[in-house]
Amino acid sequence: MVMTVQLIWVLQFKFLLTFNQLLPLFQIVLGMSLMNSSKVRQSIKDKWVSKNYKVKEYFDTAKQHSYYPFGKSNSSNSMIDPRNYYAFHSYFEQLKQRNTTQFGLFTTWLLNLEDQVEGNVQIPFNVNILDLTVINNIIYSINSMFINYNQTEIEQIFDDKLQMLYLNSTNFLASHVQSGILNTHIDISNPYYPSQYVFYMFASKNVQLLNSNLDKLNGCAKEVAKIYDKMLKANATQFILDTAKFNSNKELHWQDFLGNYANKTYEEDNTFTTIMSLSILVNTWTTTQVDKSGNLKLYFDPQTPQTVIDIIDRGMKTVSKHGFFEKSNINAFYSITLKTYTSQFYYPMNVHKYLNGTEFNPHQGAQDIVQHIAGVDGIIDKDEYEQMLKEKWYSHETQEKFTGFNVPRQQFAFWSSEALTFSYGMNLLSKYNSIDRSNLNIPI
Ligand SMILES: *[C@@H]1O[C@H](CO)[C@@H](O)[C@H](O)[C@H]1NC(C)=O
Ligand SMILES: *[C@@H]1O[C@H](CO)[C@@H](O)[C@H](O)[C@H]1NC(C)=O
Ligand SMILES: *[C@@H]1O[C@H](CO)[C@@H](O)[C@H](O)[C@H]1NC(C)=O
Ligand SMILES: *[C@@H]1O[C@H](CO)[C@@H](O)[C@H](O)[C@H]1NC(C)=O
Ligand SMILES: *[C@@H]1O[C@H](CO)[C@@H](O)[C@H](O)[C@H]1NC(C)=O
Ligand SMILES: *[C@@H]1O[C@H](CO)[C@@H](O)[C@H](O)[C@H]1NC(C)=O
Ligand SMILES: *[C@@H]1O[C@H](CO)[C@@H](O)[C@H](O)[C@H]1NC(C)=O
């Protein structure tokens, strides 16, 4: 049953990719760094602009399709995936208790129910979804804009609404990292990116970018920089230090969940995870500056704990050892949202209807993933939600506890990219070689 559902979803995926935030985001960020580079010829920049450089249009679309749970005027915008709602419900309940009205978050799909073309263009499960990794990447595009884009145009794009989404999304992210949701329920807080290491690596790109360009940031972006700095220097760093391991050859490395089951480990994602971990530490604790000869150099924050520097140096010994990339280079970089039992739609919902508007009984039967709209619209009162958690949804009790991705007979589809392992590996080696320690009184 689960496998069938997943296969249909994978088939749909090809239609949907263009409406996901992923592609426009890469285009925006790549475009901005191309356009801002003095090394790229004008003819190439002109070509880029003529084809795909619609920065304002992208942010207008992102604003239009964001999640506004306190704005009831457009129900598609105030509705979210019920799995997500469960993951974040305490946060939303607190906002409601404080009589919040101004609040919005970036979503994953640049599409509303109203825009759907039945049979051709649909959001998976007909409902938008939040993903902390996706949210982080959208924040990255705004940060890139501040650093690489034309000031006049920024003023036209960065209006009150975008500012609200930018700040609310950053606070949302930091608050959930702090509460530990990545440890307790990453299956539904980051439904497309199952690895904490990937989340923190992308987050660390934000902190590197911001800390290296503090002079270019407006007040709002400075606040975001401060929140990110704290999140990465406290929580991400602690996580990386806590999960560091030594193998039988006393080599420092990190390991994620791929291929570990029933007390056996096949070390399938060790190479990738080790690269992610060291990149997180380097990005978090250094800034990039141009030195006197015009070369890019990385400098450690003078406050960097000695343990962090030691771990980076020891970890880089593992990475630079001959044969490091000759083991497994696979990773669980990206995945479908229906993974183990806890990531099915067995959570409370207050919207349960077919696309044609006819309601269905959400407590019985199974999900029709093409025709059903299953979501939570607005914010449900705390007590009512507690009651709803005791009921069955799609014939199943809600399992509040997530116990990991390696569950027998609950396999799921994920995307692995060995090219990504190599390119992030090269990126890390290059960054490590560019570290200038002259600002530290530390013998190498
Ligand atoms: C890149 O953007 C910055 C503004 O953030 C600007 O000062 C600089 O001149 C730009 N460089 C190029 C080559 O456009
Ligand atoms: C809701 O928003 C979508 C996308 O912005 C729009 O197409 C639709 O007309 C809106 N619906 C209402 C009732 O305002
Ligand atoms: C910035 O954008 C404005 C408005 O589009 C344009 O007039 C101006 O020439 C641009 N400035 C630069 C340095 O590209
Ligand atoms: C969301 O943004 C609005 C507008 O900037 C602000 O008033 C509100 O305090 C923010 N809420 C959170 C939780 O970040
Ligand atoms: C994140 O860091 C903060 C500040 O050190 C700490 O209070 C919080 O418990 C940490 N959260 C997790 C999940 O480690
Ligand atoms: C793994 O090892 C622990 C401790 O030896 C044991 O209790 C557990 O049953 C083992 N798990 C499996 C699935 O074999
Ligand atoms: C709506 O669609 C469902 C599923 O296809 C169908 O069972 C139901 O009869 C339809 N309702 C109306 C009013 O057409």
Side-chain angles (χ1 to χ4, degrees):
M1 167 62 198
V2 171
M3 275 314 288
T4 330
V5 168
Q6 290 170 356
L7 270 176
I8 294 169
W9 199 87
V10 170
L11 290 176
Q12 285 198 353
F13 190 76
K14 66 178 172 11
F15 293 106
L16 297 163
L17 198 61
T18 38
F19 298 99
N20 184 304
Q21 295 266 17
L22 219 65
L23 286 185
L25 272 180
F26 286 148
Q27 251 168 298
I28 293 288
V29 171
L30 175 65
M32 282 178 188
S33 37
L34 274 181
M35 297 302 288
N36 195 244
S37 169
S38 54
K39 298 202 171 79
V40 175
R41 264 183 282 137
Q42 191 57 41
S43 60
I44 292 174
K45 292 184 182 179
D46 292 345
K47 202 165 184 177
W48 182 269
V49 170
S50 72
K51 295 288 181 220
N52 49 20
Y53 200 49
K54 302 235 178 276
V55 178
K56 184 166 189 310
E57 288 82 348
Y58 164 70
F59 284 112
D60 283 344
T61 309
K63 280 186 286 192
Q64 201 185 354
H65 297 98
S66 287
Y67 173 54
Y68 304 105
F70 300 99
K72 290 291 278 183
S73 61
N74 192 330
S75 74
S76 184
N77 281 111
S78 56
M79 185 168 82
I80 205 70
D81 190 296
R83 300 169 292 173
N84 255 181
Y85 189 87
Y86 174 76
F88 305 127
H89 73 96
S90 322
Y91 188 89
F92 296 145
E93 287 158 3
Q94 279 172 27
L95 290 183
K96 191 175 183 178
Q97 271 163 16
R98 282 190 252 132
N99 297 317
T100 301
T101 51
Q102 299 300 304
F103 181 76
L105 296 172
F106 293 116
T107 51
T108 301
W109 301 100
L110 296 173
L111 204 66
N112 278 344
L113 273 181
E114 293 80 359
D115 312 324
Q116 296 202 150
V117 180
E118 211 178 322
N120 283 315
V121 180
Q122 266 180 274
I123 320 172
F125 320 113
N126 303 308
V127 65
N128 220 326
I129 191 164
L130 305 168
D131 181 305
L132 296 181
T133 310
V134 175
I135 291 175
N136 171 75
N137 295 350
I138 300 167
I139 294 169
Y140 188 77
S141 71
I142 299 179
N143 292 334
S144 300
M145 176 174 81
F146 286 135
I147 288 153
N148 291 315
Y149 204 47
N150 177 330
Q151 199 54 47
T152 320
E153 303 228 352
I154 292 176
E155 278 158 25
Q156 287 168 15
I157 294 170
F158 198 67
D159 60 3
D160 288 349
K161 197 167 210 176
L162 190 56
Q163 172 169 323
M164 175 176 93
L165 289 164
Y166 178 56
L167 284 176
N168 288 177
S169 295
T170 304
N171 284 327
F172 184 74
L173 211 67
S175 170
H176 282 100
V177 166
Q178 238 187 57
S179 75
I181 197 142
L182 299 175
N183 291 316
T184 55
H185 248 306
I186 196 167
D187 57 332
I188 50 180
S189 65
N190 302 43
Y192 287 106
Y193 292 90
S195 167
Q196 284 199 59
Y197 295 91
V198 170
F199 169 78
Y200 278 131
M201 202 283 296
F202 282 142
S204 74
K205 286 181 61 169
N206 260 317
V207 85
Q208 238 277 342
L209 185 73
L210 291 166
N211 282 344
S212 303
N213 294 281
L214 287 175
D215 55 323
K216 288 185 192 159
L217 305 180
N218 64 19
C220 189
K222 280 209 171 80
E223 196 180 323
V224 168
K226 218 179 271 167
I227 297 169
Y228 263 93
D229 193 67
K230 197 166 156 234
M231 177 163 92
L232 272 297
K233 285 184 172 155
N235 300 108
T237 302
Q238 197 58 50
F239 172 70
I240 298 303
L241 296 184
D242 287 350
T243 57
K245 293 180 174 189
F246 287 98
N247 66 11
S248 49
N249 297 330
K250 295 243 183 309
E251 290 165 349
L252 191 61
H253 71 281
W254 285 261
Q255 182 172 80
D256 210 350
F257 64 85
L258 270 194
N260 306 339
Y261 177 65
N263 301 326
K264 288 202 182 78
T265 171
Y266 296 95
E267 312 206 327
E268 288 176 307
D269 56 23
N270 286 20
T271 303
F272 180 74
T273 311
T274 300
I275 289 165
M276 291 292 105
S277 301
L278 291 164
S279 301
I280 292 163
L281 293 181
V282 170
N283 289 344
T284 300
W285 293 96
T286 64
T287 55
T288 303
Q289 310 293 342
V290 183
D291 74 359
K292 289 182 204 81
S293 354
N295 297 316
L296 284 177
K297 289 281 178 202
L298 268 61
Y299 298 91
F300 274 115
D301 175 344
Q303 308 291 318
T304 310
Q306 189 59 43
T307 337
V308 169
I309 298 180
D310 291 345
I311 291 277
I312 292 173
D313 290 336
R314 267 198 100 153
M316 288 311 295
K317 285 211 176 83
T318 308
V319 174
S320 22
K321 207 162 178 174
H322 182 73
F324 177 68
F325 289 95
E326 282 167 19
K327 298 165 205 149
S328 166
N329 291 308
I330 68 171
N331 46 57
F333 173 66
Y334 194 79
S335 75
I336 61 167
T337 72
L338 292 174
K339 291 189 274 285
T340 52
Y341 187 92
T342 52
S343 57
Q344 313 294 315
F345 276 66
Y346 307 149
Y347 291 97
M349 59 188 87
N350 62 7
V351 176
H352 33 82
K353 58 186 180 191
Y354 288 92
L355 283 172
N356 64 15
T358 304
E359 298 233 346
F360 65 84
N361 181 343
H363 306 295
Q364 295 168 4
Q367 186 176 16
D368 175 341
I369 63 157
V370 178
Q371 292 289 329
H372 279 178
I373 304 173
V376 174
D377 187 11
I379 307 301
I380 302 172
D381 279 323
K382 192 169 183 288
D383 295 342
E384 191 185 341
Y385 193 73
E386 290 302 319
Q387 280 309 311
M388 290 169 91
L389 278 171
K390 296 186 185 126
E391 295 173 61
K392 284 189 175 175
W393 301 94
Y394 283 125
S395 316
H396 290 79
E397 319 235 323
T398 301
Q399 304 286 310
E400 301 194 35
K401 216 167 145 48
F402 166 63
T403 50
F405 287 122
N406 297 320
V407 183
R409 291 177 300 282
Q410 294 186 30
Q411 59 272 61
F412 59 90
F414 62 89
W415 278 255
S416 169
S417 166
E418 297 189 40
L420 208 65
T421 306
F422 297 135
S423 59
Y424 275 116
M426 294 308 119
N427 183 281
L428 173 65
L429 285 165
S430 148
K431 278 181 174 160
Y432 185 69
N433 278 327
S434 306
I435 295 178
D436 180 335
R437 306 190 192 213
S438 60
N439 67 330
L440 299 177
N441 267 330
I442 295 167
I444 302 170

